[in-house]
Amino acid sequence: MANVSHTSGDIASHPDVPEMRDRYARMLDGRDVALVDGPVFLLGLYCAASPWILHYTTSQPALVTHNLILGIAIGVLALGFTTTPARMYGLSWAMCAMGTWMIISPWIVGSSPDAGVVLNSIIIGALAVVLGFLCATASAKSTSKT
């Protein structure tokens, strides 16, 4: 079998080395909130599964669909924050809006929700607002650096 590995040394003489180093440094500087991506994804996962975890699938069928859709949306945002952070962190304010909607949704979408359903929605919504705000402020800091 032929040896196809390049043994000519390092790429220090490559003409694009300074540009590649600058791009790599910018990429690392923009990841100030990498630790927030995981909790955002877990929050979306819990939001989507919460009707089955708290057993209100029969008493609040409208909230089941609502939480499933909103949880999937939060999870997709988290995946976007992870895969393309430079493009997606501008949408962190949308997560704040989804959190605010989650706080008021039991009374708008649901029909006479009990205390457990309301408390669950308030906690999920508050966490979404806080995590969205953390992503948004970190995004603002990283864009002001460049």
Side-chain angles (χ1 to χ4, degrees):
M1 183 174 281
N3 183 6
V4 292
S5 62
H6 298 283
T7 58
S8 62
D10 60 33
I11 65 166
S13 61
H14 194 278
D16 293 334
V17 167
E19 180 185 345
M20 289 188 285
R21 285 186 180 145
D22 289 341
R23 180 181 292 167
Y24 185 72
R26 280 194 317 264
M27 181 187 74
L28 289 179
D29 284 342
R31 296 296 293 148
D32 290 343
V33 291
L35 294 177
V36 178
D37 299 345
V40 170
F41 182 74
L42 290 176
L43 180 69
L45 186 66
Y46 175 74
C47 180
S50 65
W52 291 276
I53 293 171
L54 297 178
H55 303 292
Y56 61 88
T57 55
T58 56
S59 64
Q60 298 290 331
L63 280 175
V64 171
T65 307
H66 172 267
N67 282 15
L68 181 64
I69 291 171
L70 209 59
I72 290 171
I74 291 172
V76 167
L77 273 178
L79 290 175
F81 292 161
T82 302
T83 57
T84 56
R87 293 180 181 176
M88 292 295 293
Y89 277 127
L91 291 175
S92 0
W93 291 110
M95 198 165 80
C96 292
M98 285 192 285
T100 304
W101 170 252
M102 192 70 191
I103 291 171
I104 62 172
S105 66
W107 297 283
I108 296 173
V109 177
S111 57
S112 63
D114 62 353
V117 173
V118 171
L119 187 62
N120 181 57
S121 292
I122 289 173
I123 291 171
I124 292 172
L127 285 172
V129 168
V130 167
L131 291 172
F133 186 72
L134 282 173
C135 289
T137 55
S139 172
K141 285 181 191 176
S142 68
T143 56
S144 66
K145 286 181 188 177
T146 57

